[in-house]
Amino acid sequence: MSCLTVYHQSSPEHPNKLLSHVEDIASTLAAINVQFSQVPVQQPVIAGTASAELITANGVQIEQLKALYGHASVEIISLCDERGEGSELARDLRQEQACQPAQVHYYLAGRGLLALHSGDYVYSLLCEKNDLLLLPAGIAHWFDAGAHPRVAVLRLFDAPQVPAFTSVADDFAASFTGLDDC
């Protein structure tokens, strides 16, 4: 079940809100121009499957989403690390970062913790299969897949190519609760 926890950036140990109803999550995120919904994944997906294979297998739904949201470039992050060896990608995703194009995050399998930093608040969303988010351009965020990641996330960007992400100078992501602590 998806769950949203809202923190003031100065007190990462004390949440202001904890929400688990889809409507409450959607309305809270709408205040920072993030759209949240749940859309059933049309094809079975196994986390850890190669991204190219997932793009091919889910091509019809990906094309529908691209047309619906007007996004041009596609990337799938697919992680499965049963032994907890850690990957450079998983570590990089835990760092606060931003990119200029708007993006769609669509969770195809597994779960992860997506934290959005907007103004003085951090919106930490436990995302699961079928969760779809539209993120505005430039929003600072990080993603924690836990010590044993098992997740596949489709990301669409409103740019012709997958953009480079820029690390945020005052990265304080480590101060906030991670997936394994939820």
Side-chain angles (χ1 to χ4, degrees):
M1 173 172 67
S2 303
C3 181
L4 177 66
T5 307
V6 181
Y7 302 88
H8 189 275
Q9 67 183 11
S10 66
S11 57
E13 64 282 348
H14 301 293
N16 290 4
K17 288 183 185 180
L18 178 61
L19 307 168
S20 59
H21 291 94
V22 172
E23 299 82 12
D24 295 336
I25 293 169
S27 66
T28 299
L29 291 175
I32 60 167
N33 297 319
V34 173
Q35 294 178 35
F36 173 80
S37 61
Q38 294 180 318
V39 177
V41 175
Q42 295 175 359
Q43 297 294 319
V45 171
I46 297 172
T49 302
S51 297
E53 188 178 328
L54 291 176
I55 289 171
T56 300
N58 293 280
V60 172
Q61 190 168 27
I62 290 170
E63 290 305 316
Q64 290 170 345
L65 292 170
K66 284 170 63 177
L68 180 63
Y69 297 111
H71 287 47
S73 55
V74 177
E75 174 183 61
I76 292 184
I77 297 170
S78 183
L79 301 170
C80 185
D81 183 3
E82 294 297 324
R83 297 189 303 203
E85 295 171 341
S87 72
E88 187 175 332
L89 174 60
R91 283 188 297 278
D92 289 348
L93 291 170
R94 286 189 203 117
Q95 302 299 311
E96 187 174 13
Q97 55 190 288
C99 71
Q100 268 320 298
Q103 51 187 304
V104 171
H105 284 217
Y106 183 38
Y107 292 79
L108 303 172
R111 62 188 227 152
L113 191 65
L114 177 67
L116 308 168
H117 185 191
S118 180
D120 291 337
Y121 292 91
V122 172
Y123 300 79
S124 187
L125 180 62
L126 176 60
C127 297
E128 297 189 323
K129 179 180 176 180
N130 302 323
D131 287 351
L132 187 140
L133 291 103
L134 278 70
L135 305 180
I139 191 164
H141 64 283
W142 63 89
F143 181 75
D144 184 0
H148 302 279
R150 187 184 242 352
V151 65
V153 182
L154 167 69
R155 298 196 304 185
L156 303 174
F157 302 92
D158 72 348
Q161 296 179 26
V162 174
F165 284 80
T166 305
S167 293
V168 174
D170 295 329
D171 179 20
F172 57 87
S175 303
F176 289 86
T177 301
L179 178 64
D180 294 330
D181 300 319
C182 287

